[in-house]
Amino acid sequence: MVRLGAITENYKSFQRLAGPAAVAGVVKADAYGMGAEFVGPALAAAGCDTFFVARLEEGLALRRALGAGPRIFVLDGAPSDAVPALIAHQLTPVLNSLAQIAGWSAAAAASHCALDAAIHIDTGMNRLGLPGEELGLLAAESKIRLKALNPVLLMSHLACGDEVDNKMNDMQLSRFRSALAMLPPAPASLAASGGSFLGQPYWFDLVRAGIGLYGGAPQIGGKPLKTVAVLTARVLQLRRIDKGDGVGYAATFRAKEPTMIATVALGYAGGIPRALSNKGSAFAAGKCVNFAGRVSMDMTTVDVSGLELKAGDSVEFLGDRMMLEEAAALADTNAYEILTRLRVPRHYTDAAS
Ligand SMILES: *Cc1c(COP(=O)(O)O)cnc(C)c1O
């Protein structure tokens, strides 16, 4: 179950936090697995008019879902084979190099109109964006190199934005400020969800909220963000096992005493990390229960000793009582990977809780 109402509430929480800066909705990877064709229009209805996707194809699908109007930035930029489609569907590339700036400028010259673009400056993450020497060249020749373009956003991305005390944030902030001072003025953006919590100096004109919209960041202004993804599955069968009996493949769980095992209809093919074998937990009959044995492809076995449970009952793997961050920590990963790996039929509700 995906709570669209929770996504829009979380969006409004970012607006309250970072206003007057605008809040963009990051909906790459199919809106973090929540379904961009539903999430996009829900955010737009809540007042979001700026979106980020990673791939061209995501931008095309989002444009179909949103119609003309909202700004859609494509983080991959403008490789030459993407240029015609970007122009035809009013998608704004985030240009990551001088070569991309030159290519997009050539397309602008050929179409006899200035094309909108964002420019991504690498301030230390070393992943995407203009490295320092390219920034220097761009600044020295900005009149020529940006002549055919309409730079609508200057942006960078924090490597450690989710760590409040990490010195790298200050370093990237000051590099970003220097970069802005070198280039012609344009709206600026540095913070994603994590960076938004670092405070006003990080907000600039636009914050780019991704994981927080989907309930993945722990706190906003002291108030928890709303849970978006609720993942439940039914109990298929219950069995009582004796002391010493094994459970599941390789019998990695051994009962220390008589134990009640519930077999639940969701496994790693549906997005329960196999790494949670013997480590994960879920919520059943009002109690937290532990995984017992290996996670199978379509099933997970849990220890439900002492609980009133029957076949057909629902077990919660993610939701208000099984927090995303907690499940991610147990699986040695992060909320982003848990959400984007879910592969179950999605049902939507407009409710926020
Ligand atoms: C994914 C991404 C975001 C959103 O990050 P969250 O941590 O999910 O809020 C923002 N900006 C860029 C460049 C990204 O790649």
Side-chain angles (χ1 to χ4, degrees):
M1 176 78 76
V2 177
R3 293 172 178 161
L4 292 173
I7 295 177
T8 55
E9 293 261 317
N10 290 338
Y11 180 77
K12 288 171 187 161
S13 294
F14 276 100
Q15 283 183 312
R16 281 191 294 273
L17 173 77
V23 182
V26 181
V27 294
K28 63 195 183 193
D30 203 20
Y32 293 47
M34 300 296 101
E37 65 178 306
F38 296 94
V39 173
L43 285 170
C48 178
D49 64 0
T50 305
F51 295 85
F52 282 84
V53 296
R55 305 277 110 85
L56 169 66
E57 293 71 20
E58 296 172 343
L60 296 174
L62 185 64
R63 179 60 78 207
R64 279 195 294 279
L66 294 178
R71 166 85 66 190
I72 302 174
F73 287 109
V74 178
L75 290 163
D76 280 358
S80 56
D81 57 352
V83 165
L86 289 166
I87 294 175
H89 298 276
Q90 285 104 48
L91 303 174
T92 311
V94 178
L95 303 175
N96 293 305
S97 65
L98 287 179
Q100 284 197 348
I101 290 173
W104 192 239
S105 294
S111 62
H112 303 290
C113 62
L115 289 175
D116 288 356
I119 296 171
H120 188 165
I121 300 144
D122 184 1
T123 51
M125 184 161 181
N126 290 317
R127 189 180 66 168
L128 267 187
L130 274 73
E133 59 283 8
E134 292 203 0
L135 171 66
L137 283 170
L138 180 65
E141 303 170 355
S142 66
K143 285 220 169 54
I144 305 161
R145 290 184 185 263
L146 297 176
K147 188 177 60 171
L149 302 184
N150 191 13
V152 295
L153 190 70
L154 301 175
M155 61 170 270
S156 190
H157 193 49
L158 297 170
C160 310
D162 55 352
E163 297 172 30
V164 182
D165 296 322
N166 198 306
K167 291 269 184 298
M168 191 151 170
N169 295 321
D170 303 333
M171 189 271 279
Q172 288 194 266
L173 175 61
S174 86
R175 284 191 187 173
F176 187 55
R177 286 202 177 114
S178 314
L180 295 180
M182 293 163 71
L183 295 172
S189 175
L190 178 60
S193 300
S196 302
F197 302 118
L198 298 177
Q200 193 272 337
Y202 288 84
W203 298 336
F204 293 91
D205 301 294
L206 180 76
V207 302
R208 308 183 303 269
I211 194 70
L213 296 179
Y214 311 104
Q219 293 280 313
I220 185 165
K223 171 174 164 275
L225 289 163
K226 290 203 177 292
T227 297
V228 169
V230 180
L231 181 67
T232 59
R234 300 203 169 277
V235 173
L236 293 169
Q237 203 177 27
L238 287 149
R239 74 188 66 244
R240 174 172 298 284
I241 62 171
D242 292 326
K243 179 175 174 189
D245 283 350
V247 176
Y249 285 119
T252 57
F253 177 88
R254 288 277 170 198
K256 294 196 180 69
E257 57 200 355
T259 299
M260 186 67 86
I261 296 292
T263 302
V264 189
L266 189 64
Y268 57 78
I272 304 290
R274 190 168 172 278
L276 287 179
S277 296
N278 287 306
K279 276 200 218 165
S281 51
F283 208 83
K287 288 262 161 43
C288 189
V289 295
N290 294 324
F291 288 19
R294 288 205 180 146
V295 176
S296 300
M297 186 181 292
D298 298 292
M299 289 172 275
T300 298
T301 36
V302 295
D303 179 346
V304 295
S305 302
L307 299 183
E308 290 283 331
L309 209 65
K310 56 185 188 313
D313 283 354
S314 177
V315 173
E316 179 177 302
F317 290 94
L318 291 176
D320 294 315
R321 291 157 303 190
M322 265 317 303
M323 298 302 284
L324 181 57
E325 305 285 348
E326 196 182 318
L330 288 171
D332 244 327
T333 181
N334 59 15
Y336 305 70
E337 191 177 16
I338 298 277
L339 287 183
T340 54
R341 296 243 167 141
L342 296 179
R343 215 180 60 183
V344 292
R346 287 187 303 249
H347 306 283
Y348 289 89
T349 172
D350 289 330
S353 56

